[in-house]
Amino acid sequence: MQSTIAPIQQLQNWLGNGLRPTLIAGPCSAETEEQVHATVKALAASGKVSMIRAGIWKPRTRPNSFEGVGEKGLTWLKDAGIATNLPVMTEVANAHHVELALKAGMDALWIGARTSVNPFTVQEIADALKGLDIPIFVKNPVNPDLQLWIGAIERFMNAGINRIAAIHRGFSYHGESVYRNEPMWEIPIRLRTIMPDLPVFCDPSHICGKRDLLALVSQRAMDMGMDGLMIETHPNPDKAWSDAAQQITPETLLTLINSLAIRQENISSAEIRDGLSELRTRIDLLDAQILDLISARMGIAREIGQYKKENGITILQLERWMEIVKTRGFRADKLGLSDDFIRNYLEQLHKESILHQTRVMNASKGDDGVMW
Ligand code: PEP
Ligand code: MN
């Protein structure tokens, strides 16, 4: 029995409000009964929060750090939810967690980034949930693998879960970055194009890793058309037992939410549509010219391939490639194009050019250039 994904309206109806963003807030971890109650009470008072989160079992990178209070925290969380009339959710990472979370009356569950990477574990959790009607929020896997994220979502659909949402929490990255986890917005955007009915939340807390970036990333998530936000909150963030640097007080959260510009993805007025359509026509024209130019460039690349073949010269000419990167980089910089963009663009262009040259030079050896 495979489910269809509930659109955000259905999730919102369940949550009983039409707030945008749909806001999930609460501490990274439940620490003490007082901390859970104080956080939930303050969040409820803001009137902006649709659901409470708290981690009970914490997947920590290194051992010997706080790994969650365990089962007793479920009771604190559920009681705080009942006291404020808010649904509560926690992270489950195996079938035993599911059993305890359901027994304690959790209203929704989320699948953490370290769990989404593992199809065995996701399947174990999906099997434990078979036939149950509980909303499941699936975080992206730690590595930037869209198929793995979709696969995890599909495992819950296959188990008959009707209310599923995705949570974008960023991706591990080896380079230097201002973020704790790179947002790589193109990945949730691609997810939205593949599953347009799937509600998508953003978790700015785990993307940023520090609180001063939260407002910026939350605004970006809203401008990417995301449905909701999950933000970690703590009455005394600096003293939090986990993820202290990224947590904010319920009061700061309210200021953040009130500062967001909420723009519409659907264009309602004919006048705005016309204005946009005039600008889009100009973009369409330029895109057509850009593609014609790239195609012409590939034509020359094929001629070069023929020439290199006849003269026994390698496809990659490192010196020429370095010169291209340098000169185009200078020009792009003057034109106000970002470094990152021009590097990615040139690499893709070079890759396509090599593919065309490979076909010319090595077709007789059975290489069609596709295996690059
Ligand atoms: C969390 O939400 O506290 C958490 C552990 O998140 P993630 O799985 O995204 O790292
Ligand atoms: Mn956390």
Side-chain angles (χ1 to χ4, degrees), residues 24-32 35-40 43 52-56 58 77 89-90 110 206 230-235 240-243 246-248:
I24 302 171
C28 176
S29 307
E31 298 165 4
T32 65
Q35 168 248 10
V36 171
H37 279 271
T39 314
V40 176
L43 290 172
I52 299 295
R53 63 148 283 150
I56 299 295
K58 299 304 296 178
L77 185 57
M89 72 189 308
T90 197
W110 88 80
H206 292 89
M230 177 190 257
I231 298 183
E232 289 185 342
T233 36
H234 191 285
W241 298 0
S242 60
D243 289 352
Q246 70 196 29
Q247 301 208 58
I248 52 176

PDB file of all heavy atoms in Angstrom, residues 24-32 35-40 43 52-56 58 77 89-90 110 206 230-235 240-243 246-248:
ATOM      1  N   ILE A  24       8.301  24.932  13.478  1.00  0.00           N
ATOM      2  CA  ILE A  24       8.600  23.904  14.481  1.00  0.00           C
ATOM      3  C   ILE A  24       9.751  24.457  15.314  1.00  0.00           C
ATOM      4  O   ILE A  24      10.763  24.889  14.752  1.00  0.00           O
ATOM      5  CB  ILE A  24       9.043  22.584  13.820  1.00  0.00           C
ATOM      6  CG1 ILE A  24       7.957  22.065  12.863  1.00  0.00           C
ATOM      7  CG2 ILE A  24       9.394  21.536  14.872  1.00  0.00           C
ATOM      8  CD1 ILE A  24       8.405  20.890  12.008  1.00  0.00           C
ATOM      9  N   ALA A  25       9.590  24.477  16.631  1.00  0.00           N
ATOM     10  CA  ALA A  25      10.660  25.014  17.472  1.00  0.00           C
ATOM     11  C   ALA A  25      10.758  24.195  18.751  1.00  0.00           C
ATOM     12  O   ALA A  25       9.820  23.494  19.127  1.00  0.00           O
ATOM     13  CB  ALA A  25      10.404  26.480  17.789  1.00  0.00           C
ATOM     14  N   GLY A  26      11.895  24.331  19.403  1.00  0.00           N
ATOM     15  CA  GLY A  26      12.124  23.589  20.641  1.00  0.00           C
ATOM     16  C   GLY A  26      13.605  23.339  20.775  1.00  0.00           C
ATOM     17  O   GLY A  26      14.381  23.635  19.868  1.00  0.00           O
ATOM     18  N   PRO A  27      14.016  22.791  21.906  1.00  0.00           N
ATOM     19  CA  PRO A  27      15.452  22.628  22.139  1.00  0.00           C
ATOM     20  C   PRO A  27      16.073  21.560  21.258  1.00  0.00           C
ATOM     21  O   PRO A  27      15.387  20.643  20.813  1.00  0.00           O
ATOM     22  CB  PRO A  27      15.519  22.207  23.608  1.00  0.00           C
ATOM     23  CG  PRO A  27      14.200  21.577  23.882  1.00  0.00           C
ATOM     24  CD  PRO A  27      13.202  22.302  23.021  1.00  0.00           C
ATOM     25  N   CYS A  28      17.382  21.688  21.028  1.00  0.00           N
ATOM     26  CA  CYS A  28      18.118  20.611  20.368  1.00  0.00           C
ATOM     27  C   CYS A  28      17.845  19.333  21.151  1.00  0.00           C
ATOM     28  O   CYS A  28      17.378  18.347  20.596  1.00  0.00           O
ATOM     29  CB  CYS A  28      19.609  20.944  20.348  1.00  0.00           C
ATOM     30  SG  CYS A  28      20.616  19.622  19.655  1.00  0.00           S
ATOM     31  N   SER A  29      18.095  19.386  22.464  1.00  0.00           N
ATOM     32  CA  SER A  29      17.875  18.211  23.316  1.00  0.00           C
ATOM     33  C   SER A  29      16.999  18.570  24.509  1.00  0.00           C
ATOM     34  O   SER A  29      17.140  19.658  25.079  1.00  0.00           O
ATOM     35  CB  SER A  29      19.205  17.718  23.904  1.00  0.00           C
ATOM     36  OG  SER A  29      20.148  17.505  22.902  1.00  0.00           O
ATOM     37  N   ALA A  30      16.154  17.628  24.897  1.00  0.00           N
ATOM     38  CA  ALA A  30      15.516  17.725  26.205  1.00  0.00           C
ATOM     39  C   ALA A  30      16.622  17.493  27.234  1.00  0.00           C
ATOM     40  O   ALA A  30      17.382  16.528  27.119  1.00  0.00           O
ATOM     41  CB  ALA A  30      14.427  16.673  26.334  1.00  0.00           C
ATOM     42  N   GLU A  31      16.748  18.406  28.217  1.00  0.00           N
ATOM     43  CA  GLU A  31      17.814  18.279  29.220  1.00  0.00           C
ATOM     44  C   GLU A  31      17.234  17.977  30.593  1.00  0.00           C
ATOM     45  O   GLU A  31      17.631  17.023  31.252  1.00  0.00           O
ATOM     46  CB  GLU A  31      18.640  19.577  29.249  1.00  0.00           C
ATOM     47  CG  GLU A  31      19.337  19.863  27.910  1.00  0.00           C
ATOM     48  CD  GLU A  31      19.844  21.297  27.801  1.00  0.00           C
ATOM     49  OE1 GLU A  31      19.727  22.059  28.782  1.00  0.00           O
ATOM     50  OE2 GLU A  31      20.354  21.667  26.721  1.00  0.00           O
ATOM     51  N   THR A  32      16.315  18.841  31.018  1.00  0.00           N
ATOM     52  CA  THR A  32      15.647  18.641  32.306  1.00  0.00           C
ATOM     53  C   THR A  32      14.154  18.924  32.108  1.00  0.00           C
ATOM     54  O   THR A  32      13.766  19.555  31.122  1.00  0.00           O
ATOM     55  CB  THR A  32      16.155  19.638  33.381  1.00  0.00           C
ATOM     56  OG1 THR A  32      15.781  20.960  32.964  1.00  0.00           O
ATOM     57  CG2 THR A  32      17.660  19.552  33.571  1.00  0.00           C
ATOM     58  N   GLN A  35      13.585  22.698  31.965  1.00  0.00           N
ATOM     59  CA  GLN A  35      14.011  23.308  30.694  1.00  0.00           C
ATOM     60  C   GLN A  35      12.978  23.045  29.607  1.00  0.00           C
ATOM     61  O   GLN A  35      12.616  23.941  28.837  1.00  0.00           O
ATOM     62  CB  GLN A  35      15.393  22.763  30.300  1.00  0.00           C
ATOM     63  CG  GLN A  35      15.847  23.083  28.885  1.00  0.00           C
ATOM     64  CD  GLN A  35      15.920  21.838  28.009  1.00  0.00           C
ATOM     65  OE1 GLN A  35      15.457  20.771  28.409  1.00  0.00           O
ATOM     66  NE2 GLN A  35      16.488  21.973  26.831  1.00  0.00           N
ATOM     67  N   VAL A  36      12.458  21.817  29.539  1.00  0.00           N
ATOM     68  CA  VAL A  36      11.472  21.488  28.504  1.00  0.00           C
ATOM     69  C   VAL A  36      10.212  22.326  28.720  1.00  0.00           C
ATOM     70  O   VAL A  36       9.714  22.973  27.787  1.00  0.00           O
ATOM     71  CB  VAL A  36      11.141  19.965  28.506  1.00  0.00           C
ATOM     72  CG1 VAL A  36       9.960  19.669  27.595  1.00  0.00           C
ATOM     73  CG2 VAL A  36      12.363  19.160  28.075  1.00  0.00           C
ATOM     74  N   HIS A  37       9.725  22.356  29.946  1.00  0.00           N
ATOM     75  CA  HIS A  37       8.483  23.097  30.206  1.00  0.00           C
ATOM     76  C   HIS A  37       8.653  24.585  29.967  1.00  0.00           C
ATOM     77  O   HIS A  37       7.783  25.232  29.370  1.00  0.00           O
ATOM     78  CB  HIS A  37       7.970  22.813  31.627  1.00  0.00           C
ATOM     79  CG  HIS A  37       7.220  21.515  31.712  1.00  0.00           C
ATOM     80  ND1 HIS A  37       5.859  21.434  31.490  1.00  0.00           N
ATOM     81  CD2 HIS A  37       7.641  20.247  31.917  1.00  0.00           C
ATOM     82  CE1 HIS A  37       5.468  20.156  31.572  1.00  0.00           C
ATOM     83  NE2 HIS A  37       6.540  19.418  31.847  1.00  0.00           N
ATOM     84  N   ALA A  38       9.772  25.143  30.426  1.00  0.00           N
ATOM     85  CA  ALA A  38       9.991  26.590  30.246  1.00  0.00           C
ATOM     86  C   ALA A  38      10.041  26.938  28.763  1.00  0.00           C
ATOM     87  O   ALA A  38       9.448  27.929  28.321  1.00  0.00           O
ATOM     88  CB  ALA A  38      11.293  27.006  30.929  1.00  0.00           C
ATOM     89  N   THR A  39      10.748  26.120  27.974  1.00  0.00           N
ATOM     90  CA  THR A  39      10.871  26.399  26.537  1.00  0.00           C
ATOM     91  C   THR A  39       9.500  26.332  25.862  1.00  0.00           C
ATOM     92  O   THR A  39       9.112  27.231  25.112  1.00  0.00           O
ATOM     93  CB  THR A  39      11.804  25.365  25.853  1.00  0.00           C
ATOM     94  OG1 THR A  39      12.959  25.195  26.644  1.00  0.00           O
ATOM     95  CG2 THR A  39      12.192  25.795  24.459  1.00  0.00           C
ATOM     96  N   VAL A  40       8.779  25.257  26.139  1.00  0.00           N
ATOM     97  CA  VAL A  40       7.500  25.042  25.457  1.00  0.00           C
ATOM     98  C   VAL A  40       6.498  26.126  25.839  1.00  0.00           C
ATOM     99  O   VAL A  40       5.769  26.640  24.989  1.00  0.00           O
ATOM    100  CB  VAL A  40       6.959  23.615  25.759  1.00  0.00           C
ATOM    101  CG1 VAL A  40       5.586  23.417  25.126  1.00  0.00           C
ATOM    102  CG2 VAL A  40       7.939  22.562  25.250  1.00  0.00           C
ATOM    103  N   LEU A  43       7.381  29.298  23.996  1.00  0.00           N
ATOM    104  CA  LEU A  43       7.100  29.156  22.557  1.00  0.00           C
ATOM    105  C   LEU A  43       5.594  29.241  22.299  1.00  0.00           C
ATOM    106  O   LEU A  43       5.143  29.878  21.345  1.00  0.00           O
ATOM    107  CB  LEU A  43       7.663  27.838  22.011  1.00  0.00           C
ATOM    108  CG  LEU A  43       9.189  27.760  21.926  1.00  0.00           C
ATOM    109  CD1 LEU A  43       9.642  26.360  21.552  1.00  0.00           C
ATOM    110  CD2 LEU A  43       9.730  28.787  20.916  1.00  0.00           C
ATOM    111  N   ILE A  52       6.251  21.439  18.520  1.00  0.00           N
ATOM    112  CA  ILE A  52       7.435  21.463  19.387  1.00  0.00           C
ATOM    113  C   ILE A  52       8.357  20.299  19.031  1.00  0.00           C
ATOM    114  O   ILE A  52       7.896  19.181  18.826  1.00  0.00           O
ATOM    115  CB  ILE A  52       7.013  21.322  20.871  1.00  0.00           C
ATOM    116  CG1 ILE A  52       6.099  22.474  21.288  1.00  0.00           C
ATOM    117  CG2 ILE A  52       8.237  21.214  21.773  1.00  0.00           C
ATOM    118  CD1 ILE A  52       6.727  23.850  21.273  1.00  0.00           C
ATOM    119  N   ARG A  53       9.652  20.578  18.982  1.00  0.00           N
ATOM    120  CA  ARG A  53      10.657  19.546  18.779  1.00  0.00           C
ATOM    121  C   ARG A  53      11.552  19.431  20.006  1.00  0.00           C
ATOM    122  O   ARG A  53      11.766  20.430  20.719  1.00  0.00           O
ATOM    123  CB  ARG A  53      11.548  19.854  17.566  1.00  0.00           C
ATOM    124  CG  ARG A  53      12.363  21.134  17.711  1.00  0.00           C
ATOM    125  CD  ARG A  53      13.719  21.096  17.014  1.00  0.00           C
ATOM    126  NE  ARG A  53      14.707  20.322  17.750  1.00  0.00           N
ATOM    127  CZ  ARG A  53      15.708  19.660  17.191  1.00  0.00           C
ATOM    128  NH1 ARG A  53      15.874  19.676  15.891  1.00  0.00           N
ATOM    129  NH2 ARG A  53      16.580  18.986  17.931  1.00  0.00           N
ATOM    130  N   ALA A  54      12.064  18.250  20.274  1.00  0.00           N
ATOM    131  CA  ALA A  54      13.156  18.079  21.242  1.00  0.00           C
ATOM    132  C   ALA A  54      13.799  16.726  20.977  1.00  0.00           C
ATOM    133  O   ALA A  54      13.107  15.732  20.737  1.00  0.00           O
ATOM    134  CB  ALA A  54      12.629  18.140  22.689  1.00  0.00           C
ATOM    135  N   GLY A  55      15.137  16.709  21.008  1.00  0.00           N
ATOM    136  CA  GLY A  55      15.868  15.456  20.822  1.00  0.00           C
ATOM    137  C   GLY A  55      15.949  14.706  22.140  1.00  0.00           C
ATOM    138  O   GLY A  55      16.269  15.293  23.188  1.00  0.00           O
ATOM    139  N   ILE A  56      15.648  13.422  22.098  1.00  0.00           N
ATOM    140  CA  ILE A  56      15.664  12.571  23.296  1.00  0.00           C
ATOM    141  C   ILE A  56      16.883  11.644  23.242  1.00  0.00           C
ATOM    142  O   ILE A  56      17.533  11.386  24.236  1.00  0.00           O
ATOM    143  CB  ILE A  56      14.360  11.733  23.346  1.00  0.00           C
ATOM    144  CG1 ILE A  56      13.132  12.651  23.422  1.00  0.00           C
ATOM    145  CG2 ILE A  56      14.397  10.729  24.492  1.00  0.00           C
ATOM    146  CD1 ILE A  56      13.014  13.472  24.676  1.00  0.00           C
ATOM    147  N   LYS A  58      20.378  11.516  21.162  1.00  0.00           N
ATOM    148  CA  LYS A  58      21.153  12.430  20.328  1.00  0.00           C
ATOM    149  C   LYS A  58      22.281  11.730  19.593  1.00  0.00           C
ATOM    150  O   LYS A  58      23.148  11.115  20.215  1.00  0.00           O
ATOM    151  CB  LYS A  58      21.758  13.555  21.188  1.00  0.00           C
ATOM    152  CG  LYS A  58      20.747  14.416  21.912  1.00  0.00           C
ATOM    153  CD  LYS A  58      19.736  15.035  20.970  1.00  0.00           C
ATOM    154  CE  LYS A  58      20.358  15.997  19.991  1.00  0.00           C
ATOM    155  NZ  LYS A  58      19.331  16.540  19.048  1.00  0.00           N
ATOM    156  N   LEU A  77       8.284  15.935  27.461  1.00  0.00           N
ATOM    157  CA  LEU A  77       7.894  16.579  26.205  1.00  0.00           C
ATOM    158  C   LEU A  77       6.391  16.476  25.983  1.00  0.00           C
ATOM    159  O   LEU A  77       5.717  17.465  25.670  1.00  0.00           O
ATOM    160  CB  LEU A  77       8.670  15.904  25.059  1.00  0.00           C
ATOM    161  CG  LEU A  77       8.519  16.463  23.656  1.00  0.00           C
ATOM    162  CD1 LEU A  77       8.890  17.934  23.612  1.00  0.00           C
ATOM    163  CD2 LEU A  77       9.417  15.688  22.674  1.00  0.00           C
ATOM    164  N   MET A  89       7.185  16.477  18.774  1.00  0.00           N
ATOM    165  CA  MET A  89       7.884  15.493  17.933  1.00  0.00           C
ATOM    166  C   MET A  89       9.292  15.259  18.436  1.00  0.00           C
ATOM    167  O   MET A  89       9.883  16.114  19.108  1.00  0.00           O
ATOM    168  CB  MET A  89       7.929  15.977  16.471  1.00  0.00           C
ATOM    169  CG  MET A  89       8.881  17.116  16.259  1.00  0.00           C
ATOM    170  SD  MET A  89       8.788  17.908  14.623  1.00  0.00           S
ATOM    171  CE  MET A  89       8.921  16.575  13.474  1.00  0.00           C
ATOM    172  N   THR A  90       9.830  14.089  18.124  1.00  0.00           N
ATOM    173  CA  THR A  90      11.218  13.794  18.466  1.00  0.00           C
ATOM    174  C   THR A  90      11.872  12.992  17.345  1.00  0.00           C
ATOM    175  O   THR A  90      11.196  12.546  16.412  1.00  0.00           O
ATOM    176  CB  THR A  90      11.319  13.047  19.812  1.00  0.00           C
ATOM    177  OG1 THR A  90      12.662  13.129  20.284  1.00  0.00           O
ATOM    178  CG2 THR A  90      10.938  11.568  19.686  1.00  0.00           C
ATOM    179  N   TRP A 110      10.735  12.728  13.564  1.00  0.00           N
ATOM    180  CA  TRP A 110      11.619  13.086  12.471  1.00  0.00           C
ATOM    181  C   TRP A 110      12.769  12.089  12.363  1.00  0.00           C
ATOM    182  O   TRP A 110      13.141  11.435  13.338  1.00  0.00           O
ATOM    183  CB  TRP A 110      12.087  14.541  12.550  1.00  0.00           C
ATOM    184  CG  TRP A 110      13.327  14.855  13.338  1.00  0.00           C
ATOM    185  CD1 TRP A 110      14.628  14.703  12.948  1.00  0.00           C
ATOM    186  CD2 TRP A 110      13.381  15.426  14.667  1.00  0.00           C
ATOM    187  NE1 TRP A 110      15.480  15.145  13.935  1.00  0.00           N
ATOM    188  CE2 TRP A 110      14.744  15.594  14.996  1.00  0.00           C
ATOM    189  CE3 TRP A 110      12.412  15.821  15.597  1.00  0.00           C
ATOM    190  CZ2 TRP A 110      15.158  16.127  16.217  1.00  0.00           C
ATOM    191  CZ3 TRP A 110      12.825  16.353  16.815  1.00  0.00           C
ATOM    192  CH2 TRP A 110      14.185  16.496  17.106  1.00  0.00           C
ATOM    193  N   HIS A 206      20.805  23.818  11.961  1.00  0.00           N
ATOM    194  CA  HIS A 206      21.898  22.897  11.641  1.00  0.00           C
ATOM    195  C   HIS A 206      22.651  23.306  10.378  1.00  0.00           C
ATOM    196  O   HIS A 206      23.769  22.858  10.164  1.00  0.00           O
ATOM    197  CB  HIS A 206      21.384  21.454  11.577  1.00  0.00           C
ATOM    198  CG  HIS A 206      20.975  20.950  12.928  1.00  0.00           C
ATOM    199  ND1 HIS A 206      19.711  21.122  13.417  1.00  0.00           N
ATOM    200  CD2 HIS A 206      21.685  20.345  13.914  1.00  0.00           C
ATOM    201  CE1 HIS A 206      19.652  20.634  14.646  1.00  0.00           C
ATOM    202  NE2 HIS A 206      20.837  20.156  14.979  1.00  0.00           N
ATOM    203  N   MET A 230      12.294  24.766  10.962  1.00  0.00           N
ATOM    204  CA  MET A 230      12.522  24.108  12.242  1.00  0.00           C
ATOM    205  C   MET A 230      13.719  24.817  12.879  1.00  0.00           C
ATOM    206  O   MET A 230      14.815  24.819  12.305  1.00  0.00           O
ATOM    207  CB  MET A 230      12.835  22.622  12.064  1.00  0.00           C
ATOM    208  CG  MET A 230      13.155  21.910  13.372  1.00  0.00           C
ATOM    209  SD  MET A 230      13.811  20.241  13.138  1.00  0.00           S
ATOM    210  CE  MET A 230      12.385  19.249  13.542  1.00  0.00           C
ATOM    211  N   ILE A 231      13.496  25.461  14.018  1.00  0.00           N
ATOM    212  CA  ILE A 231      14.571  26.257  14.627  1.00  0.00           C
ATOM    213  C   ILE A 231      14.743  25.875  16.097  1.00  0.00           C
ATOM    214  O   ILE A 231      13.775  25.822  16.866  1.00  0.00           O
ATOM    215  CB  ILE A 231      14.279  27.770  14.471  1.00  0.00           C
ATOM    216  CG1 ILE A 231      14.220  28.132  12.979  1.00  0.00           C
ATOM    217  CG2 ILE A 231      15.331  28.608  15.195  1.00  0.00           C
ATOM    218  CD1 ILE A 231      14.008  29.596  12.682  1.00  0.00           C
ATOM    219  N   GLU A 232      16.006  25.610  16.476  1.00  0.00           N
ATOM    220  CA  GLU A 232      16.283  25.190  17.852  1.00  0.00           C
ATOM    221  C   GLU A 232      16.233  26.371  18.820  1.00  0.00           C
ATOM    222  O   GLU A 232      16.848  27.416  18.575  1.00  0.00           O
ATOM    223  CB  GLU A 232      17.661  24.525  17.915  1.00  0.00           C
ATOM    224  CG  GLU A 232      17.664  23.163  17.235  1.00  0.00           C
ATOM    225  CD  GLU A 232      18.975  22.412  17.366  1.00  0.00           C
ATOM    226  OE1 GLU A 232      20.005  23.044  17.677  1.00  0.00           O
ATOM    227  OE2 GLU A 232      18.968  21.196  17.152  1.00  0.00           O
ATOM    228  N   THR A 233      15.502  26.151  19.920  1.00  0.00           N
ATOM    229  CA  THR A 233      15.342  27.226  20.908  1.00  0.00           C
ATOM    230  C   THR A 233      15.587  26.688  22.320  1.00  0.00           C
ATOM    231  O   THR A 233      15.243  25.540  22.614  1.00  0.00           O
ATOM    232  CB  THR A 233      13.910  27.803  20.859  1.00  0.00           C
ATOM    233  OG1 THR A 233      13.018  26.739  20.578  1.00  0.00           O
ATOM    234  CG2 THR A 233      13.769  28.856  19.808  1.00  0.00           C
ATOM    235  N   HIS A 234      16.133  27.557  23.143  1.00  0.00           N
ATOM    236  CA  HIS A 234      16.529  27.138  24.494  1.00  0.00           C
ATOM    237  C   HIS A 234      16.408  28.369  25.394  1.00  0.00           C
ATOM    238  O   HIS A 234      16.745  29.470  24.969  1.00  0.00           O
ATOM    239  CB  HIS A 234      17.986  26.634  24.440  1.00  0.00           C
ATOM    240  CG  HIS A 234      18.442  25.928  25.668  1.00  0.00           C
ATOM    241  ND1 HIS A 234      18.760  26.597  26.831  1.00  0.00           N
ATOM    242  CD2 HIS A 234      18.643  24.611  25.909  1.00  0.00           C
ATOM    243  CE1 HIS A 234      19.133  25.709  27.746  1.00  0.00           C
ATOM    244  NE2 HIS A 234      19.079  24.494  27.206  1.00  0.00           N
ATOM    245  N   PRO A 235      15.953  28.191  26.648  1.00  0.00           N
ATOM    246  CA  PRO A 235      15.806  29.363  27.526  1.00  0.00           C
ATOM    247  C   PRO A 235      17.149  30.032  27.828  1.00  0.00           C
ATOM    248  O   PRO A 235      17.200  31.236  28.076  1.00  0.00           O
ATOM    249  CB  PRO A 235      15.192  28.791  28.808  1.00  0.00           C
ATOM    250  CG  PRO A 235      14.944  27.348  28.578  1.00  0.00           C
ATOM    251  CD  PRO A 235      15.525  26.942  27.260  1.00  0.00           C
ATOM    252  N   ALA A 240      23.273  25.452  26.846  1.00  0.00           N
ATOM    253  CA  ALA A 240      22.656  24.228  26.308  1.00  0.00           C
ATOM    254  C   ALA A 240      23.645  23.066  26.321  1.00  0.00           C
ATOM    255  O   ALA A 240      24.846  23.277  26.140  1.00  0.00           O
ATOM    256  CB  ALA A 240      22.150  24.482  24.895  1.00  0.00           C
ATOM    257  N   TRP A 241      23.139  21.860  26.532  1.00  0.00           N
ATOM    258  CA  TRP A 241      24.002  20.670  26.624  1.00  0.00           C
ATOM    259  C   TRP A 241      24.412  20.159  25.247  1.00  0.00           C
ATOM    260  O   TRP A 241      25.273  19.288  25.137  1.00  0.00           O
ATOM    261  CB  TRP A 241      23.285  19.562  27.401  1.00  0.00           C
ATOM    262  CG  TRP A 241      22.958  19.916  28.825  1.00  0.00           C
ATOM    263  CD1 TRP A 241      23.227  21.097  29.454  1.00  0.00           C
ATOM    264  CD2 TRP A 241      22.297  19.096  29.783  1.00  0.00           C
ATOM    265  NE1 TRP A 241      22.777  21.077  30.735  1.00  0.00           N
ATOM    266  CE2 TRP A 241      22.202  19.850  30.981  1.00  0.00           C
ATOM    267  CE3 TRP A 241      21.771  17.803  29.782  1.00  0.00           C
ATOM    268  CZ2 TRP A 241      21.605  19.353  32.133  1.00  0.00           C
ATOM    269  CZ3 TRP A 241      21.178  17.300  30.933  1.00  0.00           C
ATOM    270  CH2 TRP A 241      21.101  18.069  32.096  1.00  0.00           C
ATOM    271  N   SER A 242      23.742  20.639  24.196  1.00  0.00           N
ATOM    272  CA  SER A 242      24.149  20.289  22.829  1.00  0.00           C
ATOM    273  C   SER A 242      23.820  21.469  21.918  1.00  0.00           C
ATOM    274  O   SER A 242      22.860  22.205  22.163  1.00  0.00           O
ATOM    275  CB  SER A 242      23.427  19.022  22.338  1.00  0.00           C
ATOM    276  OG  SER A 242      22.029  19.202  22.341  1.00  0.00           O
ATOM    277  N   ASP A 243      24.629  21.654  20.891  1.00  0.00           N
ATOM    278  CA  ASP A 243      24.418  22.713  19.891  1.00  0.00           C
ATOM    279  C   ASP A 243      24.154  24.101  20.501  1.00  0.00           C
ATOM    280  O   ASP A 243      23.266  24.840  20.059  1.00  0.00           O
ATOM    281  CB  ASP A 243      23.260  22.326  18.951  1.00  0.00           C
ATOM    282  CG  ASP A 243      23.667  21.188  18.012  1.00  0.00           C
ATOM    283  OD1 ASP A 243      24.860  20.827  17.987  1.00  0.00           O
ATOM    284  OD2 ASP A 243      22.788  20.671  17.305  1.00  0.00           O
ATOM    285  N   GLN A 246      24.183  27.483  18.265  1.00  0.00           N
ATOM    286  CA  GLN A 246      23.168  27.767  17.253  1.00  0.00           C
ATOM    287  C   GLN A 246      21.770  27.987  17.832  1.00  0.00           C
ATOM    288  O   GLN A 246      20.844  28.346  17.118  1.00  0.00           O
ATOM    289  CB  GLN A 246      23.121  26.638  16.210  1.00  0.00           C
ATOM    290  CG  GLN A 246      22.553  25.317  16.732  1.00  0.00           C
ATOM    291  CD  GLN A 246      22.875  24.142  15.826  1.00  0.00           C
ATOM    292  OE1 GLN A 246      23.889  24.129  15.146  1.00  0.00           O
ATOM    293  NE2 GLN A 246      21.989  23.149  15.784  1.00  0.00           N
ATOM    294  N   GLN A 247      21.607  27.774  19.149  1.00  0.00           N
ATOM    295  CA  GLN A 247      20.256  27.900  19.705  1.00  0.00           C
ATOM    296  C   GLN A 247      19.962  29.356  20.072  1.00  0.00           C
ATOM    297  O   GLN A 247      20.866  30.150  20.347  1.00  0.00           O
ATOM    298  CB  GLN A 247      20.107  27.008  20.936  1.00  0.00           C
ATOM    299  CG  GLN A 247      20.366  25.539  20.595  1.00  0.00           C
ATOM    300  CD  GLN A 247      19.618  24.565  21.490  1.00  0.00           C
ATOM    301  OE1 GLN A 247      18.386  24.605  21.571  1.00  0.00           O
ATOM    302  NE2 GLN A 247      20.349  23.693  22.162  1.00  0.00           N
ATOM    303  N   ILE A 248      18.665  29.702  20.047  1.00  0.00           N
ATOM    304  CA  ILE A 248      18.250  31.057  20.422  1.00  0.00           C
ATOM    305  C   ILE A 248      17.110  30.963  21.434  1.00  0.00           C
ATOM    306  O   ILE A 248      16.461  29.916  21.546  1.00  0.00           O
ATOM    307  CB  ILE A 248      17.793  31.892  19.190  1.00  0.00           C
ATOM    308  CG1 ILE A 248      16.736  31.133  18.368  1.00  0.00           C
ATOM    309  CG2 ILE A 248      18.983  32.250  18.308  1.00  0.00           C
ATOM    310  CD1 ILE A 248      16.172  31.939  17.198  1.00  0.00           C
TER     311      ILE A 248
END
